[in-house]
Amino acid sequence: MEPEILRTARLELSAPRESDAAAIHAECQDAAIQRFTTVPSPYLPADAETFVELTRTWWGEGSEATWAIRLEGRLVGMVGLAKLPSGGPEIGYWVSSSVRGQGLATEAVRAVVGWGFAAERPAVQRIEWRAVVGNAGSARVAQTVGFRYEGLLRQAGANSLGRSDMWVGGLLRSDDRDPQPWPVL
């Protein structure tokens, strides 16, 4: 599978490039990104370089689709679908602290959900969202895009900082994508 470029009103989503490694490394120093995602901690320059290489492999295999989120040409985040062949891939995303609260994650996630559920990917019937309990920003994005809250997975998350309880939600191909009511998280 070849990487695709997606465009929204404000963003370009494109495959990470070698020239992005320094920006990825810098952004992944953010304590929130290290707490709420699976990036290594500490996050080293070599981790960013390896990540960029892996995204090329994942695209080529068709196992994952990962995009750099670019605002006016500047890398401001990442978004991707893991486990594509399962028919129920998991979406993951992070955005730079410098742009949080501007709706960019929501815009990027909507674009990727649309790509995932496009007619040329009929095997994708569900997209799953998971977030470490307490990641209210990720929950707001998922809710706004139309994901349904499905519950709590105890100690289901693991990263280099330890295990965490996880919120889980899902969006089906057949669901409308209007914001859904969620319990107070």
Side-chain angles (χ1 to χ4, degrees):
M1 177 168 69
E2 288 296 315
E4 294 185 41
I5 295 175
L6 307 178
R7 288 188 172 76
T8 69
R10 299 179 290 174
L11 303 172
E12 177 186 282
L13 308 180
S14 57
R17 303 184 283 257
E18 289 176 13
S19 59
D20 293 327
I24 294 167
H25 172 257
E27 292 298 344
C28 288
Q29 300 311 300
D30 181 336
I33 291 173
Q34 291 187 14
R35 176 176 176 222
F36 292 132
T37 73
T38 58
V39 302
S41 180
Y43 195 82
L44 305 173
D47 294 318
E49 293 164 6
T50 298
F51 171 75
V52 171
E53 290 173 25
L54 284 171
T55 64
R56 265 183 281 174
T57 300
W58 298 332
W59 272 105
E61 296 170 344
S63 62
E64 296 192 22
T66 302
W67 292 268
I69 303 169
R70 301 178 197 284
L71 176 66
E72 299 171 352
R74 180 173 68 101
L75 184 138
V76 295
M78 288 287 159
V79 60
L81 290 171
K83 306 174 199 159
L84 274 170
S86 72
E90 183 178 331
I91 195 159
Y93 45 92
W94 59 260
V95 294
S96 170
S97 61
S98 67
V99 298
R100 288 185 193 140
Q102 297 178 28
L104 299 180
T106 301
E107 199 170 315
V109 168
R110 272 197 181 111
V112 170
V113 164
W115 180 89
F117 286 142
E120 53 269 21
R121 277 170 287 291
V124 176
Q125 292 298 310
R126 168 190 168 84
I127 297 176
E128 187 165 294
W129 163 85
R130 292 180 181 212
V132 172
V133 168
N135 191 346
S138 182
R140 279 191 298 276
V141 169
Q143 180 183 24
T144 300
V145 173
F147 282 82
R148 275 58 167 181
Y149 178 76
E150 295 175 336
L152 176 75
L153 302 172
R154 298 179 309 137
Q155 298 295 294
N159 67 16
S160 55
L161 301 177
R163 295 204 73 79
S164 302
D165 291 347
M166 302 289 286
W167 291 321
V168 63
L171 184 60
L172 304 180
R173 177 181 287 276
S174 58
D175 287 342
D176 67 54
R177 299 197 193 142
D178 294 328
Q180 300 297 308
W182 282 23
V184 176
L185 299 179

